[in-house]
Amino acid sequence: LRLKQDLLSTGLEGLRKVATSAKSSRGADEMMAEAHLRMGDVFQGLGQHSEAHQQYDLGHAIRQEVARLRAGDREAQRLLAL
């Protein structure tokens, strides 16, 4: 169990770095949404359900905004459905 937590924590740190760097790159919204959703998975794996829920909500909110801004973009609509 300890090894799993260490591995997930390492993965979480990497995802946080991706989320931070995505803020200044092209396609940042999609990258940020994906990073938040993956962080939610990591927190879920660590048993930190409240934090996981917050991350899932953030990822979904970003995808909602992208879908709203790109109403004709099928990919944005598809990602929102995930």
Side-chain angles (χ1 to χ4, degrees):
L1 180 63
R2 179 70 184 148
L3 177 60
K4 181 180 178 181
Q5 287 181 327
D6 288 345
L7 289 172
L8 289 172
S9 293
T10 300
L12 178 61
E13 184 58 34
L15 288 172
R16 283 187 173 139
K17 288 179 183 178
V18 168
T20 300
S21 68
K23 290 179 183 176
S24 62
S25 68
R26 189 167 190 243
D29 292 333
E30 291 87 354
M31 289 176 64
M32 285 294 294
E34 186 65 25
H36 282 296
L37 295 172
R38 288 188 184 200
M39 283 192 290
D41 292 344
V42 171
F43 281 119
Q44 188 75 17
L46 291 171
Q48 297 176 11
H49 306 294
S50 178
E51 184 64 29
H53 191 270
Q54 289 175 344
Q55 294 300 317
Y56 291 139
D57 283 348
L58 286 170
H60 185 69
I62 292 168
R63 284 188 171 172
Q64 282 181 314
E65 182 64 10
V66 169
R68 184 185 70 77
L69 292 173
R70 301 179 191 162
D73 184 340
R74 285 184 174 180
E75 181 64 11
Q77 301 302 315
R78 185 189 72 80
L79 289 172
L80 180 58
L82 298 178

